[in-house]
Coordinates of all heavy atoms in Angstrom, one line a residue:
A22 N 0.8 -1.2 -0.1 CA 0.0 -0.1 0.0 C 0.9 1.3 -0.1 O 0.5 2.2 -0.6 CB -1.0 0.0 1.2
I23 N 1.9 1.2 0.7 CA 2.9 2.4 0.7 C 3.4 2.7 -0.7 O 3.4 3.9 -1.1 CB 4.0 2.2 1.7 CG1 3.6 2.2 3.2 CG2 5.2 3.1 1.4 CD1 4.6 1.8 4.2
C24 N 3.7 1.7 -1.4 CA 4.2 1.9 -2.8 C 3.2 1.9 -3.9 O 3.6 1.9 -5.1 CB 5.4 1.1 -3.1 SG 5.0 -0.6 -3.2
G25 N 1.9 1.8 -3.6 CA 0.9 1.8 -4.6 C 0.5 0.5 -5.3 O -0.4 0.5 -6.1
L26 N 1.3 -0.6 -5.0 CA 0.8 -1.8 -5.6 C -0.5 -2.3 -5.1 O -1.2 -3.1 -5.8 CB 1.9 -2.8 -5.4 CG 3.2 -2.7 -6.1 CD1 4.2 -3.7 -5.5 CD2 3.0 -2.8 -7.5
L27 N -1.0 -1.9 -3.9 CA -2.3 -2.2 -3.3 C -2.8 -0.8 -3.1 O -2.4 -0.1 -2.2 CB -2.1 -3.0 -2.0 CG -3.4 -3.2 -1.3 CD1 -4.4 -4.1 -2.2 CD2 -3.1 -4.0 0.1
P28 N -3.8 -0.4 -3.9 CA -4.3 1.0 -3.7 C -4.9 1.2 -2.3 O -5.5 0.5 -1.7 CB -5.6 1.0 -4.7 CG -5.2 -0.1 -5.7 CD -4.5 -1.1 -4.9
A29 N -4.6 2.4 -1.8 CA -5.0 2.9 -0.5 C -6.5 3.2 -0.5 O -6.9 3.9 -1.5 CB -4.2 4.1 0.1
R30 N -7.3 2.9 0.5 CA -8.7 3.1 0.5 C -8.9 4.5 1.3 O -9.9 5.1 1.2 CB -9.5 2.0 1.0 CG -9.4 0.8 0.3 CD -10.2 -0.4 0.8 NE -10.3 -1.6 0.0 CZ -10.8 -2.7 0.3 NH1 -11.3 -2.9 1.6 NH2 -10.7 -3.8 -0.5
A31 N -7.9 4.7 2.2 CA -8.0 6.0 3.0 C -6.7 6.2 3.6 O -5.8 5.3 3.6 CB -9.1 5.7 4.2
G32 N -6.5 7.5 4.1 CA -5.4 7.8 4.8 C -4.4 8.5 3.8 O -4.6 8.7 2.6
S33 N -3.1 8.6 4.3 CA -2.1 9.3 3.5 C -0.7 8.7 3.6 O -0.4 8.1 4.7 CB -2.0 10.9 3.8 OG -1.4 11.0 5.2
V34 N 0.0 8.7 2.5 CA 1.3 8.3 2.6 C 2.3 9.5 2.0 O 2.1 9.9 0.8 CB 1.6 7.1 1.6 CG1 3.0 6.7 1.6 CG2 0.6 5.9 2.1
R35 N 3.1 10.0 2.9 CA 4.0 11.1 2.5 C 5.4 10.6 2.5 O 5.9 10.0 3.4 CB 3.8 12.3 3.4 CG 2.5 13.0 3.5 CD 2.4 14.2 4.3 NE 3.2 15.2 3.8 CZ 2.7 16.1 2.8 NH1 1.5 15.9 2.3 NH2 3.5 17.0 2.4
Y36 N 6.1 10.9 1.4 CA 7.4 10.6 1.2 C 8.2 11.8 0.9 O 7.9 12.4 -0.1 CB 7.6 9.4 0.1 CG 9.1 9.1 -0.4 CD1 9.9 8.5 0.4 CD2 9.4 9.6 -1.7 CE1 11.2 8.4 0.0 CE2 10.8 9.4 -2.1 CZ 11.6 8.8 -1.2 OH 12.9 8.6 -1.7
D37 N 9.3 12.0 1.7 CA 10.1 13.2 1.4 C 9.3 14.4 1.3 O 9.5 15.4 0.5 CB 10.9 13.0 0.2 CG 12.1 14.0 0.1 OD1 12.6 14.4 1.1 OD2 12.6 14.3 -1.1
G38 N 8.3 14.5 2.2 CA 7.4 15.6 2.3 C 6.3 15.7 1.3 O 5.4 16.7 1.4
A39 N 6.2 14.8 0.3 CA 5.1 14.9 -0.7 C 4.2 13.8 -0.5 O 4.6 12.6 -0.3 CB 5.7 14.9 -2.0
E40 N 2.8 14.0 -0.7 CA 1.9 13.0 -0.8 C 2.0 12.0 -2.1 O 2.3 12.6 -3.2 CB 0.5 13.5 -0.8 CG -0.7 12.5 -1.0 CD -0.7 11.6 0.2 OE1 -0.7 12.0 1.4 OE2 -1.0 10.3 0.0
I41 N 2.2 10.7 -1.8 CA 2.5 9.9 -3.0 C 1.4 8.9 -3.3 O 1.6 8.1 -4.1 CB 3.8 9.2 -2.8 CG1 3.8 8.3 -1.5 CG2 5.0 10.2 -2.8 CD1 5.0 7.3 -1.6
S42 N 0.3 8.9 -2.6 CA -0.7 7.9 -2.7 C -1.3 7.8 -4.0 O -1.9 6.8 -4.4 CB -1.8 8.0 -1.6 OG -2.4 9.3 -1.7
R43 N -1.2 8.8 -4.9 CA -1.8 8.9 -6.2 C -0.6 9.0 -7.2 O -1.0 9.2 -8.3 CB -2.8 10.0 -6.3 CG -4.1 9.6 -5.7 CD -5.2 10.7 -5.8 NE -6.5 10.3 -5.4 CZ -6.8 10.1 -4.1 NH1 -6.0 10.5 -3.2 NH2 -8.1 9.8 -3.9
V44 N 0.5 8.9 -6.8 CA 1.7 8.9 -7.7 C 1.7 7.5 -8.5 O 1.7 6.5 -7.7 CB 3.0 9.2 -7.0 CG1 4.2 9.0 -8.0 CG2 3.0 10.6 -6.5
P45 N 1.9 7.4 -9.7 CA 2.0 6.1 -10.4 C 3.2 5.3 -9.9 O 4.3 5.8 -9.5 CB 2.3 6.6 -11.9 CG 1.8 7.8 -12.0 CD 2.0 8.5 -10.7
V46 N 3.0 4.0 -9.7 CA 3.9 3.0 -9.1 C 5.3 3.2 -9.8 O 6.3 3.2 -9.2 CB 3.4 1.7 -9.1 CG1 4.4 0.7 -8.6 CG2 2.1 1.6 -8.4
Y47 N 5.3 3.2 -11.0 CA 6.5 3.2 -11.8 C 7.3 4.5 -11.6 O 8.5 4.5 -12.0 CB 6.3 3.1 -13.3 CG 5.4 4.2 -14.0 CD1 6.0 5.4 -14.3 CD2 4.1 4.0 -14.2 CE1 5.2 6.3 -14.9 CE2 3.2 4.9 -14.8 CZ 3.8 6.2 -15.2 OH 3.1 7.1 -15.7
E48 N 6.7 5.6 -11.1 CA 7.3 6.8 -10.9 C 8.2 6.8 -9.6 O 9.2 7.5 -9.4 CB 6.4 7.9 -10.9 CG 7.0 9.4 -10.6 CD 7.9 9.8 -11.6 OE1 7.8 9.4 -12.8 OE2 8.8 10.6 -11.2
L49 N 7.8 6.0 -8.6 CA 8.5 6.0 -7.3 C 9.9 5.6 -7.3 O 10.6 6.3 -6.5 CB 7.6 5.1 -6.4 CG 6.2 5.6 -6.0 CD1 5.5 4.5 -5.1 CD2 6.2 7.0 -5.5
P50 N 10.3 4.6 -8.1 CA 11.9 4.3 -8.0 C 12.5 5.6 -8.5 O 13.8 5.8 -8.1 CB 11.9 3.2 -9.0 CG 10.6 2.5 -9.0 CD 9.6 3.6 -8.7
R51 N 12.1 6.3 -9.4 CA 12.6 7.6 -9.9 C 12.9 8.6 -8.8 O 13.9 9.4 -8.7 CB 12.0 8.3 -11.0 CG 12.0 7.5 -12.3 CD 11.3 8.2 -13.4 NE 11.4 7.6 -14.7 CZ 10.5 6.7 -15.1 NH1 9.3 6.4 -14.6 NH2 10.6 6.1 -16.3
R52 N 12.0 8.4 -7.8 CA 12.1 9.4 -6.6 C 12.8 8.8 -5.5 O 13.1 9.4 -4.4 CB 10.7 9.7 -6.0 CG 9.8 10.4 -7.1 CD 8.5 10.9 -6.5 NE 7.6 11.4 -7.5 CZ 6.6 12.2 -7.3 NH1 6.3 12.5 -5.9 NH2 5.8 12.8 -8.0
G53 N 13.3 7.5 -5.6 CA 14.1 6.9 -4.7 C 13.4 6.0 -3.6 O 14.0 5.5 -2.7
L54 N 12.2 5.6 -3.9 CA 11.5 4.7 -3.1 C 11.3 3.3 -3.9 O 10.8 3.2 -4.9 CB 10.1 5.2 -2.8 CG 9.4 4.5 -1.7 CD1 8.2 5.5 -1.2 CD2 8.7 3.2 -2.1
V55 N 12.0 2.3 -3.3 CA 12.2 1.0 -4.1 C 11.7 -0.1 -3.1 O 12.0 -0.1 -2.1 CB 13.5 0.8 -4.5 CG1 13.7 -0.5 -5.3 CG2 13.9 2.0 -5.5
L56 N 10.9 -1.1 -3.6 CA 10.4 -2.3 -3.0 C 11.2 -3.5 -3.5 O 11.3 -3.7 -4.6 CB 9.0 -2.5 -3.2 CG 8.4 -3.8 -2.8 CD1 8.3 -3.9 -1.2 CD2 6.9 -4.0 -3.3
V57 N 11.6 -4.3 -2.4 CA 12.2 -5.6 -2.7 C 11.0 -6.5 -2.3 O 10.8 -6.7 -1.1 CB 13.5 -6.1 -1.9 CG1 13.9 -7.5 -2.3 CG2 14.6 -5.0 -2.4
P58 N 10.3 -7.1 -3.2 CA 9.0 -7.8 -2.8 C 9.2 -9.1 -2.1 O 10.3 -9.8 -2.3 CB 8.2 -7.9 -4.2 CG 9.4 -8.0 -5.2 CD 10.4 -7.1 -4.7
E59 N 8.2 -9.5 -1.4 CA 8.1 -10.9 -0.9 C 8.2 -11.9 -2.0 O 7.4 -11.6 -3.1 CB 6.8 -11.1 -0.2 CG 6.6 -12.5 0.4 CD 5.3 -12.6 1.2 OE1 4.5 -11.7 1.2 OE2 5.1 -13.7 1.8
G60 N 9.0 -12.9 -2.0 CA 9.1 -13.8 -3.1 C 10.1 -13.4 -4.1 O 10.2 -14.0 -5.2
R61 N 10.8 -12.4 -3.9 CA 11.9 -11.8 -4.7 C 11.6 -11.2 -6.0 O 12.1 -10.1 -6.3 CB 13.0 -13.0 -4.9 CG 13.5 -13.5 -3.7 CD 13.7 -15.0 -3.6 NE 13.9 -15.4 -2.2 CZ 13.8 -16.7 -1.9 NH1 13.5 -17.6 -2.8 NH2 13.8 -17.0 -0.5
G62 N 10.7 -11.8 -6.8 CA 10.2 -11.1 -8.0 C 11.3 -10.8 -9.0 O 11.1 -9.8 -9.8

């Protein structure tokens, strides 16, 4: 939910001072937020 792979239904996620809950998932690595998923992927 933090990185947008599971859409948030309520609340806020702020990264580096900016709200990111509606930022496209593919954009987050460009901003420096990266997920290593369960199961390696």
